Amino acid sequence: MSRTLHLAEQLISLPSITPEDAGCLDLLAARLAPLGFVCERLDSGPDSFRVSNLWSKRPTAHTQQAQAAIKTIVFAGHTDVVPTGPLAQWGSHPFTPTHKDGKLFGRGASDMKTSIAAFVVAVEEFLAAHPDPQISIAFLLTSDEEGPSIDGTKVVVEQLKARGETLDYCIVGEPTSVKQTGDMIKN
């Protein structure tokens, strides 16, 4: 089984219905920390709707003067999923990863736990091949995209901006589209 598929299955098995994260961010931080990522929880929101947020950055190993010239690429995403609806209408349990006709089924398989798994494994492979890249790599992950979306990415970006963090490039694995896959790509 591929490492990406295995991680996607681990994430899908966690019932992370908005705003619950159900341990997804802890699982991801445990994968990123050994790669040199500094993992920081920036949770926010009221106690009745507490949102889990992870800012995880792997800085480059250059001098402070050169550090200002280093660009940061951010992989952004969300671990939360919409409610399942009636379980009787599912062909398999929504939080049990299931394979049928070469496809992966389960809550978050499309939106967007598989994208996050692909990000993490791609970064692991990139760093194995290029252990000292000339770019900082970061992850911005939240459990508040499927809900009101006010205590997730927006709050983290505001906190990063307040402390002078610059996000130069951002890749989002969201499958949202208007007419066809890819029509939401922006620069």
Side-chain angles (χ1 to χ4, degrees):
M1 177 182 327
S2 81
R3 290 178 25 236
T4 303
L5 180 59
H6 184 258
L7 180 54
E9 289 174 338
Q10 288 179 293
L11 291 167
I12 290 167
S13 71
L14 299 170
S16 55
I17 298 170
T18 307
E20 296 300 320
D21 171 67
C24 291
L25 296 182
D26 290 338
L27 173 64
L28 295 165
R31 289 283 289 256
L32 296 171
L35 300 172
F37 283 83
V38 177
C39 300
E40 179 182 5
R41 290 294 293 267
L42 299 170
D43 298 349
S44 65
D47 289 341
S48 62
F49 199 87
R50 196 72 179 153
V51 172
S52 302
N53 297 308
L54 176 68
W55 171 247
S56 184
K57 184 175 181 182
R58 184 182 189 272
T60 59
H62 298 286
T63 66
Q64 197 69 358
Q65 183 179 8
Q67 192 67 35
I70 299 295
K71 301 291 185 189
T72 299
I73 185 167
V74 179
F75 293 93
H78 63 93
T79 58
D80 61 319
V81 298
V82 296
T84 63
L87 292 178
Q89 293 181 5
W90 281 79
S92 59
H93 192 279
F95 296 108
T96 300
T98 306
H99 300 265
K100 183 178 178 183
D101 299 326
K103 296 179 182 171
L104 175 62
F105 291 86
R107 210 26 130 207
S110 174
D111 185 16
M112 77 174 281
K113 292 179 176 184
T114 303
S115 294
I116 293 172
F119 290 163
V120 170
V121 172
V123 168
E124 288 172 340
E125 291 177 1
F126 174 75
L127 291 174
H130 309 280
D132 190 23
Q134 300 301 302
I135 190 164
S136 291
I137 304 169
F139 285 82
L140 193 167
L141 304 171
T142 184
S143 69
D144 183 30
E145 191 273 346
E146 298 294 357
S149 299
I150 57 174
D151 289 304
T153 301
K154 180 180 176 183
V155 167
V156 174
V157 168
E158 289 170 1
Q159 290 179 16
L160 296 173
K161 184 178 178 182
R163 64 187 195 196
E165 289 267 3
T166 301
L167 313 181
D168 298 293
Y169 309 102
C170 187
I171 298 174
V172 181
E174 180 72 32
T176 301
S177 60
V178 177
K179 294 181 182 177
Q180 65 184 25
T181 300
D183 67 4
M184 295 294 293
I185 295 174
K186 299 177 183 174
N187 60 16

